[in-house]
Amino acid sequence: MKKILLLCLCMMQFVSAETEFAIPKPSIDHPRKFVFPITVRDRKAINHVLSSANNVMKFYGPENTEVVIVAYSQGIEALMKDGDRDIRKRVEALMTYDVEFIACGNTMRTLHIKKKDLIDGVEVVTAGIVELIERQLRGYIYIRP
Amino acid sequence: MKKILLLCLCMMQFVSAETEFAIPKPSIDHPRKFVFPITVRDRKAINHVLSSANNVMKFYGPENTEVVIVAYSQGIEALMKDGDRDIRKRVEALMTYDVEFIACGNTMRTLHIKKKDLIDGVEVVTAGIVELIERQLRGYIYIRP
Amino acid sequence: MKKILLLCLCMMQFVSAETEFAIPKPSIDHPRKFVFPITVRDRKAINHVLSSANNVMKFYGPENTEVVIVAYSQGIEALMKDGDRDIRKRVEALMTYDVEFIACGNTMRTLHIKKKDLIDGVEVVTAGIVELIERQLRGYIYIRP
């Protein structure tokens, strides 16, 4: 009896209200689309955004997601070729899952950064903030992780 | 004359353009729905989110609002049973107004937090960020206060 | 041959994927509408929001945009008449382009700020956060720059 009670208590521990999906549910035909900004030059903050991208892809399945990460202002650091090595590896790993990385051209001009200074595969747009806006209008969910 | 002028000046002081409601206006049938994140372990920041929840409920009337607060990353601290006492009291008070508090299961696993460590009544989902996303797709307004 | 190769390399440098517009494209009839919050009392952060407002107006053309900036909590500092002089000049310059500046009445009451303490032309609403919410519901894009 005590054992059963203990078992029940343990199970209760893991009972949790799961997130209710919006309609249409996420699928290959109706992928969840996100756009995350990176705006600060801070390893922890950058890693937090990359982890968030990773978590949503793990949860929904990479095939049911479209993830875009836009770096601007001090956050451009995250996409620099000669930046933090571990971050670069994570960025490149996420690219293999079709995560799009986009750098802000305005920021690059201000900070004298060339396209060749960025990790290969990073796209450049005129203004990072415009990219965030248009993506939202195109149905992407904007989250600041 | 001087008095009237003074009165006018005083009144002008209080003239303000009030927020224009979107259609449909907030009501019991069309409640305003919000989802607020708590992401940092900082008393001031946590209190700011709780105050924001309070302010919107006061403004619209609790019956015309649905408020959800999702804590993840370092923000999980806000929902810990043995965390700051005043914060706990505020969380419990907001719960009596049907504010939903949701903790991120990923964060809990990373930080070795059990459900029993959380304030009673807190729900747990697999990933806090997914909850933010699906709530938005279900019509909740996402604000980082 | 070497020159041509060099030229090609230089051109590639400037090739960039431009932001794809959502439909309807921005125009006078379909202006892009934004609402930006200012929440912190930090010159750099305030200037970053003002620059962001400037950047989107430059990109889309002022006639194709509607920009609203809501200051609340410590961010109210940005709209104080006797605050930072350069910030005040920028706020007034943006006003000439019809950028709306809105102050949170709740914050003003808490911090004992009168309307006359604010830069002329600033509007006051009961709650800054409510303004952010209703603007979103009225089709404004919410970005925390």
Side-chain angles (χ1 to χ4, degrees), chain C residues 129-145:
Chain C
I129 197 157
V130 166
E131 185 72 23
L132 289 178
I133 288 160
E134 296 297 323
R135 292 277 180 172
Q136 280 194 72
L137 290 170
R138 288 164 55 203
Y140 286 71
I141 292 284
Y142 163 67
I143 300 261
R144 265 190 99 106

Side-chain angles (χ1 to χ4, degrees), chain B residues 99-113:
Chain B
V99 174
E100 276 182 82
F101 287 88
I102 296 178
C104 171
N106 282 344
T107 302
M108 290 168 67
R109 212 177 47 228
T110 306
L111 302 180
H112 307 291
I113 295 167

Side-chain angles (χ1 to χ4, degrees), chain A residues 13-21 51-52 54-61, chain B residues 70-73 76 101-111 113 115 118 122-135:
Chain A
Q13 184 89 353
F14 293 94
V15 169
S16 66
E18 194 40 87
T19 294
E20 188 185 324
F21 282 127
S51 296
S52 300
N54 209 66
N55 283 345
V56 296
M57 284 168 50
K58 215 162 70 182
F59 184 90
Y60 291 109
Chain B
V70 179
Y72 63 102
S73 192
I76 197 101
F101 287 88
I102 296 178
C104 171
N106 282 344
T107 302
M108 290 168 67
R109 212 177 47 228
T110 306
L111 302 180
I113 295 167
K115 198 174 180 197
L118 301 177
V122 171
E123 294 161 66
V124 176
V125 297
T126 305
I129 197 157
V130 166
E131 186 71 23
L132 289 178
I133 289 159
E134 296 296 324
R135 291 279 180 171

Side-chain angles (χ1 to χ4, degrees), chain C residues 73-101:
Chain C
S73 192
Q74 298 297 322
I76 196 102
E77 182 71 17
L79 304 185
M80 301 288 283
K81 213 176 249 168
D82 63 353
D84 184 275
R85 220 178 171 174
D86 293 334
I87 287 175
R88 182 177 166 175
K89 273 187 196 164
R90 293 191 76 183
V91 166
E92 289 170 340
L94 286 168
M95 278 178 176
T96 67
Y97 284 97
D98 291 330
V99 174
E100 276 184 81
F101 287 89

